Amino acid sequence: MEQRTVLVVLFDGVQSLDVTGPVEVFAGAAACRGGDAPAYRIVTASLDGAPVRTSSGLTLVPDSSLADAPVPHTLLTPGGLGTREADPRLIDWLRTNAPRAQRLVSVCTGAILYAEAGLLDGRRATTHWAYCSKLARDHPAIEVDPDPIFVRDGHVATSAGVTAGIDLALALVEEDLSRDEALTVARHLVVFLRRPGNQAQFSAQLAVQTAQREPLREVQQWITEHPDEDLCVESLAARARLSPRHFARAFQTETGMTPGKYVERVRVEHARRLLEDTSHGVEEVSRACGYGTPEAMRRAFVKTLGAAPAEYRRRFHAPLVAPSAVQPAPALNG
């Protein structure tokens, strides 16, 4: 079987988990295969081969300089504070050498380094939600999608903030090797094998600002805890002891989102969780999430996620496996 070289670019100010998360995934997959030629060969390299200091203060010692590094199958560029004012030599190296790799992968703000090198022009990409606006503003030739955990566009894959790099690396292992091997690694790392690629980077509660006034904050929390209740503006306004008009205006001003939009996001998110993690039928889920009918939930899913509830469950439901049926994972030098 072909051994894939994964070259991880290091630089001062790199986010340590952007490096170690994906590396642990690829190393775990290599350990699963074992033998004389593990599935992945992992190489780390910095510009001059010198140790780098991460944004959290850890020191990472690379295997080599970028000039001496092998041509990789997968080039992985992590993010971190060091991407804000990247060394021009690093951008030049990426511009010249990245096209030689069969697959380009970025984690978090590592996408900014690829963007500066012109490698994302004409492509769809994502990055940490806090930097999506900047990426889109600075590089209008890139179609920036702020929502997904990761985005695949041909041989280029970009992921959202920090832990999303683990999700993307698991997806790549599943593609390169098999679902069983990716699942073994996920179990060892005690993470889910697959959060859907189109899953939002953060929940509906985090996607908006928290209201400043206590009555509005309480309404936000109540919506989250009671998605099956009557959540029309009139009912919510009464709970906040405001007139419907005043409530709607104040809610949007303080959260940046209309009450109706917020309710819609909370209900879709709650329904997604139930479809992913339970065996409840679609009709039962629709009732639990405040949809009048399964058809109303179907319309909301198609609008928000691009898939009907049944299709969403087929793709992302995690089957409940009896403990006796779960085979222990092989040791991965943990």
Side-chain angles (χ1 to χ4, degrees):
M1 177 184 174
E2 173 194 3
Q3 184 183 54
R4 295 171 170 84
T5 298
V6 179
L7 176 58
V8 183
V9 177
L10 301 182
F11 49 87
D12 283 325
V14 71
Q15 162 67 250
S16 57
L17 192 55
D18 286 6
V19 176
T20 59
V23 163
E24 289 294 341
V25 171
F26 289 120
C32 284
R33 282 289 171 106
D36 296 331
Y40 296 101
R41 172 194 177 200
I42 302 167
V43 178
T44 58
S46 64
L47 269 172
D48 301 317
V52 302
R53 189 170 179 83
T54 71
S55 57
S56 60
L58 297 176
T59 297
L60 301 180
V61 181
D63 297 313
S64 73
S65 68
L66 285 172
D68 296 330
V71 176
H73 172 277
T74 299
L75 179 64
L76 191 150
T77 303
L81 297 178
T83 63
R84 294 183 181 179
E85 294 183 4
D87 190 320
R89 295 178 300 157
L90 177 56
I91 302 302
D92 289 341
W93 187 91
L94 289 172
R95 185 180 295 114
T96 301
N97 294 278
R100 300 164 66 193
Q102 295 183 44
R103 182 164 63 196
L104 303 184
V105 175
S106 71
V107 181
C108 196
T109 53
I112 293 176
L113 300 180
Y114 281 152
E116 292 289 339
L119 299 168
L120 298 182
D121 288 355
R123 294 188 180 276
R124 180 170 166 259
T126 193
T127 186
H128 190 289
W129 61 266
Y131 292 90
C132 283
S133 295
K134 173 178 171 55
L135 182 62
R137 182 176 62 253
D138 293 348
H139 302 278
I142 302 172
E143 181 188 347
V144 179
D145 190 338
D147 288 330
I149 289 175
F150 58 82
V151 168
R152 302 287 300 277
D153 188 331
H155 72 291
V156 178
T158 54
S159 65
V162 194
T163 59
I166 296 175
D167 293 276
L168 176 53
L170 285 168
L172 297 176
V173 168
E174 182 176 6
E175 175 184 295
D176 293 342
L177 306 180
S178 72
R179 184 182 187 280
D180 287 343
E181 286 166 290
L183 181 58
T184 297
V185 176
R187 285 173 175 165
H188 178 75
L189 296 177
V190 197
V191 297
F192 291 108
L193 170 60
R194 182 184 300 160
R195 286 188 290 173
N198 63 349
Q199 184 180 30
Q201 289 192 33
F202 35 69
S203 67
Q205 298 94 295
L206 294 178
V208 299
Q209 306 168 52
T210 300
Q212 296 179 5
R213 282 181 277 180
E214 185 174 347
L216 296 180
R217 288 200 305 272
E218 291 178 352
V219 168
Q220 280 183 281
Q221 185 63 31
W222 195 82
I223 292 171
T224 302
E225 295 173 353
H226 302 85
D228 58 331
E229 295 284 347
D230 178 6
L231 302 180
C232 69
V233 168
E234 289 74 17
S235 296
L236 297 177
R239 181 165 292 275
R241 298 181 179 85
L242 298 171
S243 71
R245 184 176 180 181
H246 186 191
F247 169 77
R249 183 169 59 250
F251 190 96
Q252 181 164 9
T253 298
E254 296 197 15
T255 68
M257 184 179 293
T258 66
K261 187 67 173 179
Y262 185 76
V263 168
E264 180 182 38
R265 288 199 178 189
V266 167
R267 282 177 167 162
V268 168
E269 182 176 310
H270 189 57
R272 279 199 306 104
R273 299 298 186 202
L274 292 178
L275 292 172
E276 291 171 16
D277 301 332
T278 76
S279 58
H280 299 333
V282 170
E283 185 170 352
E284 185 178 357
V285 170
S286 67
R287 287 199 303 270
C289 298
Y291 294 105
T293 64
E295 174 60 22
M297 186 172 79
R298 189 194 72 80
R299 289 196 301 269
F301 263 59
V302 170
K303 175 185 175 182
T304 306
L305 303 174
E311 172 64 13
Y312 183 89
R313 164 166 276 170
R314 186 187 69 78
R315 294 168 58 194
F316 301 124
H317 177 59
L320 301 177
V321 181
S324 61
V326 177
Q327 298 298 317
L332 300 179
N333 301 320

